[in-house]
Amino acid sequence: MTEHIAIVGGGTGGTVLANTLAEKLDAELAAGEVEITLFNDDEDHVYKPVWLYVAFGQREPADGRRPLREVVDDRVTIRQDYVVDVDYERKKLELVDAIDPAPYDKLVVATGAQLEPERVPGLAEAGHHFYSEEGAQALRDGLLGMDGGHIVLSVVGTPHMCPAAPLEFTFMIDDWLRERGRREAFDITYTYPIMRVHGNEHIAEWADPRLRERDIGIETMFNAEAVDPEAQTITSMEGTELDYDLLVAIPPHTGSDFIESAGLGDGGWVDVDKHTLEAVGFDDVYAIGDAAKTGVPKAGSAAHYQANVVAQRLASELRGQPATAVYGGKTICFIETGMDNATFVEFDYERPPEPSEPTRAMHWSKLAYNESYWLTARGLL
Amino acid sequence: MTTSQNHTEADTTVDARGATCPGPLMDLISEIRAVDTGTVIALLSDAEKSPTEVQEWADESGNEVLDIADKGDHYRIHVTKR
Ligand SMILES: Cc1cc2nc3c(=O)[nH]c(=O)nc-3n(C[C@H](O)[C@H](O)[C@H](O)COP(=O)(O)OP(=O)(O)OC[C@H]3O[C@@H](n4cnc5c(N)ncnc54)[C@H](O)[C@@H]3O)c2cc1C
């Protein structure tokens, strides 16, 4: 009998998992004992970190896209379809386009996060962002069309993808304007929903003086309540109002709609055992990456390490061995601190991040990583 | 801030146990966004800083902390949306 491993979501986590499994289960795949199917609603694999650079005109959206078939091992079956629901009794996945449901014996949810700007009135019309291809392109045009004025970077919702990215954008825009001799013509304000500039205390402590040093205004405890696109103002639930000429907002996020309909968790996030990544209350269901509620940031690096752990666990289970691999919370992050400097952090469930002194070499490492990502996704690096 | 074991009835509960700071406060804020004025929310959190953080945020945003109960392994904080 063929054992079906179904992976829902062909982003960073799902792709690394599919490729790692194909390597590990080479013999079983060849013997027809196992079949790996990757479900993704898009024909392409998308590498989102490129969008930060698209906003500054340094990269094109196409640099972050490749056909999924080119990135995924040939031993993996790809199905372009949207998974809507799970029948846990019959172990089947319901799909939007296919008439017949797809079978699974082991299911891994890797559906990532989606943006929901509609949750804040006015935000969808007025708020620029660099969290999608179109958003990053529109932001690039918005920036190029400005001679001066007030740029407000507002982190509206947490959790959101890549908690470092709003800080990176703020440091980069400051530097970008300085390089053009235009910084004097601009005010920049950074807002954050809690009482410090970042959710993680160590990152907040590191970033706070650096923002101030560059004359960037800071508004903490600022939870955007409404945006008025006509008046160009953003108001917070705490009663602060800011005028802006360009609003760059990190919109609220939810998980894939599929997670709610499949009853896998609230708000689109799957409750998992943070070490084994098994979905709490379900048999043979795992979740990895942004979709999983582990407490670590929604970062591609975390999705990658989690994929490695689940690959090992699935391979062990398939061979009737006890699954021993566990995820310790490992996350790594390069953080741009300007147009040609960056720092690096590595942390896990036990050890907090300790940002190093920013260097040019670290900036080049981030760019080099972005280039080599396609090999990483293929499981080659 | 009041610390008590009283019997406030919550209209809705946000179980943020297991989430690290600032997860519980952010979960509370998203619930406040979603509910009507007057709704009482019970926040369950095992993060040590939650009582101070929630109180500080409620003071700033004009919402009301009704009571904070120490349940041993977690806090239960009742907040009314104002
Ligand atoms: C601007 C920006 C910069 C970033 N920078 C960094 C960085 O420097 N470093 C870092 O580590 N991370 C970074 N990230 C975060 C990183 O991109 C994400 O954490 C990572 O992509 C998460 O991987 P994932 O596999 O969980 O989800 P994703 O990569 O988002 O993939 C999810 C996939 O599932 C598909 N899908 C969803 N629902 C369904 C369904 N029901 N059926 C079928 N398919 C479905 C989606 O279309 C998508 O293809 C950044 C993100 C952004 C937006």
Side-chain angles (χ1 to χ4, degrees):
Chain A
M1 265 231 326
T2 307
E3 182 94 357
H4 292 278
I5 301 178
I7 304 167
V8 186
T12 299
T15 300
V16 171
L17 174 63
N19 287 334
T20 313
L21 274 175
E23 280 299 312
K24 276 190 190 306
L25 299 177
D26 181 51
E28 289 86 347
L29 283 160
E33 291 162 15
V34 63
E35 191 179 321
I36 305 166
T37 309
L38 179 62
F39 297 87
N40 196 53
D41 53 349
D42 191 335
E43 194 184 341
D44 288 339
H45 176 92
V46 177
Y47 180 56
K48 299 172 176 181
V50 162
W51 299 334
L52 177 64
Y53 303 90
V54 170
F56 292 100
Q58 294 189 329
R59 300 298 294 271
E60 293 303 320
D63 297 334
R65 250 180 198 279
R66 288 209 186 162
L68 196 52
R69 189 65 276 174
E70 279 181 18
V71 183
V72 172
D73 194 294
D74 288 341
R75 289 166 286 191
V76 174
T77 306
I78 296 176
R79 287 188 66 175
Q80 192 189 331
D81 211 332
Y82 187 84
V83 179
V84 262
D85 210 344
V86 187
D87 179 342
Y88 301 100
E89 292 279 302
R90 291 164 57 224
K91 289 204 153 182
K92 302 243 184 215
L93 300 177
E94 282 169 32
L95 306 156
V96 163
D97 292 332
I99 296 164
D100 293 330
Y104 76 86
D105 296 292
K106 303 282 179 191
L107 171 63
V108 186
V109 176
T111 44
Q114 61 192 24
L115 310 180
E116 287 222 328
E118 307 76 27
R119 287 217 241 158
V120 175
L123 186 63
E125 300 93 278
H128 277 285
H129 62 79
F130 54 94
Y131 269 55
S132 71
E133 275 182 6
E134 309 75 49
Q137 281 171 289
L139 173 57
R140 176 192 60 203
D141 299 344
L143 283 172
L144 291 175
M146 273 180 104
D147 271 342
H150 188 195
I151 298 176
V152 174
L153 182 292
S154 183
V155 179
V156 175
T158 72
H160 59 80
M161 289 180 277
C162 195
L167 281 173
E168 293 187 282
F169 179 83
T170 309
F171 289 134
M172 285 166 84
I173 189 76
D174 168 76
D175 209 18
W176 193 73
L177 293 170
R178 282 179 203 277
E179 277 180 359
R180 275 159 194 73
R182 299 295 302 157
R183 180 64 176 91
E184 305 278 273
F186 286 83
D187 287 319
I188 305 172
T189 303
Y190 172 91
T191 87
Y192 204 76
I194 58 162
M195 37 294 271
R196 49 181 186 267
V197 298
H198 194 268
N200 183 287
E201 277 178 75
H202 300 264
I203 304 277
E205 246 168 58
W206 169 85
D208 193 291
R210 286 178 165 79
L211 291 168
R212 290 177 198 279
E213 199 169 275
R214 297 177 187 210
D215 208 17
I216 292 163
I218 296 174
E219 285 286 342
T220 50
M221 261 215 231
F222 187 101
N223 284 278
E225 181 159 54
V227 178
D228 184 339
E230 297 275 298
Q232 298 198 314
T233 55
I234 175 168
T235 43
S236 75
M237 292 163 90
E238 296 79 12
T240 310
E241 179 174 303
L242 294 173
D243 291 323
Y244 66 82
D245 295 295
L246 184 83
L247 174 65
V248 186
I250 312 302
H253 285 45
T254 55
S256 175
D257 296 337
F258 146 76
I259 289 170
E260 287 273 358
S261 49
L264 279 163
D266 290 338
W269 316 123
V270 184
D271 271 320
V272 291
D273 177 308
K274 66 180 193 170
H275 292 110
T276 65
L277 304 164
E278 285 162 323
V280 176
F282 294 88
D283 289 332
D284 299 319
V285 183
Y286 283 95
I288 57 171
D290 291 356
K293 238 167 113 176
T294 53
V296 301
K298 301 206 175 301
S301 64
H304 183 151
Y305 293 124
Q306 292 168 12
N308 289 341
V309 168
V310 171
Q312 287 193 40
R313 293 188 70 86
L314 288 176
S316 301
E317 285 173 13
L318 202 88
R319 292 170 183 152
Q321 298 160 354
T324 54
V326 284
Y327 177 59
K330 185 169 174 184
T331 309
I332 60 167
C333 236
F334 292 99
I335 308 173
E336 297 282 20
T337 54
M339 297 313 285
D340 57 6
N341 271 293
T343 180
F344 176 79
V345 284
E346 181 180 348
F347 51 99
D348 57 33
Y349 291 139
E350 305 297 330
R351 288 175 312 142
E354 287 172 26
S356 54
E357 201 44 47
T359 61
R360 278 176 78 98
M362 209 48 93
H363 162 72
W364 287 107
S365 303
K366 176 152 187 171
L367 296 191
Y369 179 84
N370 284 346
E371 291 301 322
S372 63
Y373 172 77
W374 300 102
L375 297 176
T376 308
R378 292 191 59 193
L380 297 174
L381 263 185
Chain B
M1 191 197 299
T2 52
T3 303
S4 70
Q5 300 282 340
N6 72 1
H7 299 287
T8 308
E9 288 281 332
D11 300 307
T12 163
T13 298
V14 175
D15 188 349
R17 283 175 291 183
T20 47
C21 277
L25 175 60
M26 291 313 305
D27 288 353
L28 172 71
I29 293 172
S30 8
E31 187 66 15
I32 293 234
R33 276 185 198 282
V35 299
D36 294 332
T37 305
T39 305
V40 178
I41 301 164
L43 173 71
L44 310 183
S45 165
D46 47 20
E48 223 172 274
K49 286 198 181 148
S50 279
T52 14
E53 283 193 352
V54 169
Q55 185 70 59
E56 238 180 280
W57 178 75
D59 290 346
E60 187 88 10
S61 60
N63 294 291
E64 189 184 351
V65 175
L66 297 175
D67 57 74
I68 297 173
D70 187 343
K71 300 294 222 181
D73 61 349
H74 70 275
Y75 297 102
R76 190 200 57 205
I77 308 172
H78 283 121
V79 183
T80 310
K81 175 167 178 172
R82 294 284 177 219

